[in-house]
Amino acid sequence: MQTLIPFTAEICSAFVAKREGETKIGQTLHCYDGQTPLTQALSQAKDKGVKFAIIGIGEDIGPRANLGRGGAIDAFDAAMAQFCNFQSNQFLDGNCCLVLGQVITDDLQLPGTASAAQLRANVEQLDERVIAIASDIISAGLEPIVIGGGHNNAYGLLMAAKTTLKRPIAAVNLDPHSDFRPREGRHSGNGFSYAAASGALGYYHVLGMHELKNSQQTLDQLMAFGGKWHTFQSLWVRQELELKQAVSDIVVDLNASGLPVAIELDLDAIINMPSSASTSAGVPLIDALYYVNQVARQTHACYLHLAEGAPSCHTAGVEAGRRETGQSISELIYSYIQGRITQHPLG
C-alpha cells in the first residue's frame, strides 16, 4: 500500500512566489517525484548532499483519541507555503533539504461520532506507517524533520530511530504536557510512556512542563522511569532559573547519556499558537527557537518533531492560522537546520 503523498516539483512550484533577482528555498530544495522507490530516492538525495528530509503527518486522530479536540491536520501545507518562500542565500541553501510529502492518513480519519477505542486502534495503524517511513529516512543517513499531526507520532519516530540506530533514544520535549499518561490505548498523551515501555526511550526530559496540566499518576510514572523536567512556572513565571542555563543543563545530560537525541516540540507550548490545546500562558516563540537551535547545535540530534499545529484553530480564522502556524514552523525548521549545520564539536 502506498503510504506517502509525494511533494512533487509541481506542487512545490505552486507554493513559490517567484521574484526577479531572488532565489527562494522552494527553487533550490529537492522534491520527491513519487515514482522512484522511496529508498532509492533517499539514497540519491544523500549522494547529492541532502542532509534533511521533511515530511508531514496531517491527522488529528491522536489528539481526539486522547479526548481532546481535533484540527492538527493542515500544518504541513501551511509550513511549506512559508518555508518555500524563504530566501536561498549564504545562510541557508535549500539544496540540503528534501521535502518528501505527507504520510497518508485520510483512510484513518474517523467522524466525530467515533469512539475512543476506534480512534486508538487507528492510531496504532498510523504508528506502523510512521515507523516505516521514518526508518527509511534514518537508514539513508538523513535527519527527519516531521511536521504536524498529534504528539502521538513521537512513539513511531522513537521506535524508528531505535530500530534503525540499534540504540535507545534520548528525547527532550518542550511541552506543557509530559505525554507520559498510562498505556490505555494509543493516543497523543502517551507516546513517550509507550516508547519507554518498548525500550525505545532511554532518557527523557520535559522542558516547560506546566505544573497543573499533568496528573499525579503521570508524574509518578515519569519519576519511576527516571524522567526529568523544568516546569513552565519555574522558568517563565517564578524565574528561578534562566532558560539559557536550563538548556545548558539539559544538553549536558543528553550528551552524558551517550544516546542519539530526539528534539520534540509541541506547538501547544508556544503562547497563543493555533494548536490542539492552545494556551494564553505559554513560551515565547523566540525561546522555542533558542531551545531547538541550541539542542540541535550541541547534541547528537537525529531528528526534529513539531507536533500539534492546527491552523484551523486560530481565533481569527483559518487564513490567519495558516500564516501564523506556517511562519512559526518555518522558523523552527530553520533554527534546527542552522543548529545542525553549525554544530559544536561534541565531547
Side-chain angles (χ1 to χ4, degrees), residues 266-310:
D266 192 321
L267 293 173
D268 292 351
I270 300 172
I271 187 169
N272 292 326
M273 179 63 61
S275 58
S276 299
S278 57
T279 180
S280 58
V283 176
L285 176 61
I286 191 68
D287 287 347
L289 298 173
Y290 176 81
Y291 151 74
V292 168
N293 179 263
Q294 291 300 302
V295 178
R297 191 179 188 195
Q298 299 183 59
T299 72
H300 297 283
C302 60
Y303 68 79
L304 171 68
H305 182 204
L306 305 171
E308 304 277 352

Side-chain angles (χ1 to χ4, degrees), residues 12-285:
C12 181
S13 180
F15 279 117
V16 178
K18 299 179 178 66
R19 186 167 179 172
E20 187 176 354
E22 297 182 358
T23 303
K24 304 290 184 66
I25 292 289
Q27 294 172 281
T28 59
L29 57 73
H30 300 266
C31 300
Y32 177 46
D33 61 18
Q35 303 301 313
T36 307
L38 181 58
T39 54
Q40 181 181 340
L42 291 166
S43 177
Q44 291 172 348
K46 174 72 172 178
D47 291 342
K48 293 176 182 176
V50 168
K51 300 181 183 298
F52 309 98
I54 301 174
I55 59 171
I57 311 175
E59 57 83 24
D60 61 6
I61 54 174
R64 290 167 56 210
N66 191 22
L67 309 182
R69 67 174 178 169
I73 59 175
D74 49 3
F76 176 79
D77 282 347
M80 289 302 97
Q82 300 294 326
F83 185 72
C84 287
N85 283 291
F86 277 162
Q87 300 290 337
S88 182
N89 58 25
Q90 68 187 61
F91 297 104
L92 177 62
D93 182 342
N95 277 297
C96 68
C97 297
L98 165 68
V99 184
L100 282 175
Q102 295 203 69
V103 178
I104 292 176
T105 60
D106 286 352
D107 61 314
L108 300 177
Q109 289 289 126
L110 292 170
T113 55
S115 68
Q118 292 172 312
L119 291 163
R120 292 170 184 181
N122 281 18
V123 173
E124 291 185 7
Q125 294 184 57
L126 177 60
D127 288 339
E128 296 175 4
R129 298 179 190 181
V130 173
I131 291 170
I133 293 172
S135 294
D136 284 343
I137 295 171
I138 298 170
S139 293
L142 305 181
E143 297 179 21
I145 296 176
V146 184
I147 302 166
H151 219 157
N152 41 288
N153 296 304
Y155 171 74
L157 294 170
L158 287 164
M159 288 293 291
K162 184 252 186 179
T163 301
T164 305
L165 300 175
K166 312 298 184 187
R167 312 177 69 187
I169 306 302
V172 56
N173 181 22
L174 177 60
D175 196 336
H177 311 97
S178 68
D179 291 349
F180 221 85
R181 285 181 179 272
R183 301 192 307 278
E184 58 192 356
R186 287 285 295 113
H187 56 63
S188 65
N190 59 23
F192 294 96
S193 47
Y194 269 90
S198 72
L201 186 65
Y203 172 87
Y204 186 40
H205 194 116
V206 189
L207 177 64
M209 188 180 76
H210 196 288
E211 293 174 359
L212 299 183
K213 293 184 178 180
N214 296 268
S215 71
Q216 189 58 52
Q217 181 184 26
T218 297
L219 295 174
D220 290 343
Q221 288 186 167
L222 183 55
M223 286 188 287
F225 172 72
K228 296 184 178 181
W229 61 69
H230 287 88
T231 70
F232 170 75
Q233 283 76 12
S234 68
L235 290 174
W236 284 276
V237 179
R238 298 190 296 270
Q239 299 183 16
E240 297 165 352
L241 186 68
E242 291 186 355
L243 177 63
K244 182 177 181 179
Q245 185 59 57
V247 170
S248 178
D249 293 344
I250 292 169
V251 164
V252 169
D253 287 345
L254 290 170
N255 288 335
S257 76
L259 300 174
V261 172
I263 302 178
E264 295 274 349
L265 194 155
D266 192 321
L267 293 173
D268 292 351
I270 300 172
I271 187 169
N272 292 326
M273 179 63 61
S275 58
S276 299
S278 57
T279 180
S280 58
V283 176
L285 176 61

